[in-house]
Amino acid sequence: MEVTNPTFVPDPSLSTAEMEDLQREIAATAVFEDDHDFDPDAVALDGPAEQATLGEIGAGSDGEDVPANRPLVAGVDQAFVGDRAVSAIVVLRGREVIERVYAVEPAEIPYVPGLLSFREGGAILSAFSELDSDPDVVFVDGSGRIHYREAGLATHVGVTLNVPTVGVAKNLLCGTPREPLDRKLPTGTRVPIEADEEVETAAAGTLIGYAVQTRQYESSKQHINPLIVSPGHRVSAGTAADLVSATAGGYKLPEPTRLADKYADDVKAEI
């Protein structure tokens, strides 16, 4: 995939103020509504829970070909080797692994909350440049609209490539859930997350995403925290939550980012 909006390519040499200004431009460009050609209902996983492994590229879980008209869903995740970022992309059609690529780039700045894309974005774009597939939607391990300036990693990547993206984060960066999240939520629960005073580019009360409970223990006293899901670009908050729920596959993480996480760790171990 090629960069569509080079103006938004993350530049780690910018000052903090310049990075934040660029994020405001990205947020103004981003589309947080459904603006895509794929059928979200067709993204749902098929077949038994024994999903295709990374070594079974091109084969569905039941050995049958997956219909070619099914949307392509890419998962993106990162790992780090010293001061280098490893970005891994795994592309799925249903449970079939179509393609996987990775790239390794220097992580030129430390982690700063709200500026993750300037640390990891270069490696992600390099990985996308290696991709032969043209994904219909991309799941990014990071925030989308749930961000101080509505321009998290998923939004930054989505706008730069002009591809529909969904942010799948493990922790809430900002915003206020309409219900408490520090309790055991049943599988399938969705808690709306609204903009608050920390989100400077959206009016208070604006729906910016959901806490989505993709998996939960039924009998254990322990509980699994929900995922924080938000639209990145060209996907609405509701559709983003639908897509993550439809691809969870019995795990907390949706299959695209779960397999990308595994692939990133495998690459890290090799290098």
Side-chain angles (χ1 to χ4, degrees), residues 2-269:
E2 297 183 355
V3 168
T4 302
N5 294 306
T7 302
F8 297 135
V9 171
D11 180 357
S13 71
L14 297 176
S15 68
T16 297
E18 290 171 329
M19 290 179 183
E20 293 177 350
D21 283 343
L22 183 61
Q23 288 179 330
R24 294 182 186 98
E25 292 182 39
I26 290 168
T29 304
V31 176
F32 298 124
E33 300 293 338
D34 290 324
D35 178 26
H36 49 72
D37 298 327
F38 67 91
D39 178 4
D41 292 336
V43 170
L45 299 176
D46 51 2
E50 297 83 31
Q51 68 290 323
T53 67
L54 291 177
E56 295 173 335
I57 297 176
S61 59
D62 57 1
E64 298 294 332
D65 291 335
V66 179
N69 61 349
R70 293 283 298 277
L72 292 180
V73 183
V76 182
D77 204 347
Q78 284 69 248
F80 287 86
V81 180
D83 59 356
R84 292 178 292 169
V86 178
S87 181
I89 302 175
V90 176
V91 182
L92 299 175
R93 178 181 282 122
R95 291 187 185 275
E96 179 186 8
V97 180
I98 300 297
E99 185 180 7
R100 58 180 183 173
V101 298
Y102 74 89
V104 182
E105 297 287 350
E108 299 182 25
I109 61 172
Y111 169 71
V112 178
L115 298 178
L116 183 64
S117 59
F118 294 93
R119 174 173 168 80
E120 301 183 4
I124 292 174
L125 294 180
S126 291
F128 270 105
S129 71
E130 300 293 326
L131 199 65
D132 292 328
S133 306
D134 188 12
D136 294 287
V137 62
V138 176
F139 289 19
V140 178
D141 178 38
S143 296
R145 193 180 188 185
I146 296 179
H147 179 271
Y148 306 122
R149 288 164 291 280
E150 298 181 276
L153 181 60
T155 302
H156 201 149
V157 170
V159 171
T160 303
L161 296 173
N162 192 28
V163 63
T165 52
V166 174
V168 185
K170 301 177 184 69
N171 299 297
L172 181 63
L173 181 64
C174 58
T176 301
R178 290 181 186 170
E179 302 173 24
L181 301 182
D182 56 348
R183 57 195 176 95
K184 191 170 184 176
L185 299 172
T187 301
T189 300
R190 295 184 186 181
V191 177
I193 297 174
E194 300 176 342
D196 55 20
E197 66 277 358
E198 289 191 289
V199 184
E200 62 175 73
T201 53
T206 301
L207 177 67
I208 54 176
Y210 288 90
V212 179
Q213 192 70 56
T214 53
R215 184 187 176 208
Q216 188 57 273
Y217 298 121
E218 293 184 4
S219 57
S220 173
K221 292 182 179 180
Q222 296 179 316
H223 69 272
I224 298 173
N225 294 329
L227 293 171
I228 307 302
V229 178
S230 57
H233 181 48
R234 296 175 56 191
V235 176
S236 68
T239 296
D242 289 342
L243 293 171
V244 168
S245 295
T247 55
Y251 294 88
K252 175 177 177 176
L253 290 177
E255 282 296 277
T257 53
R258 191 185 76 83
L259 291 178
D261 174 79
K262 174 65 167 58
Y263 186 37
D265 285 343
D266 289 345
V267 173
K268 176 181 177 179

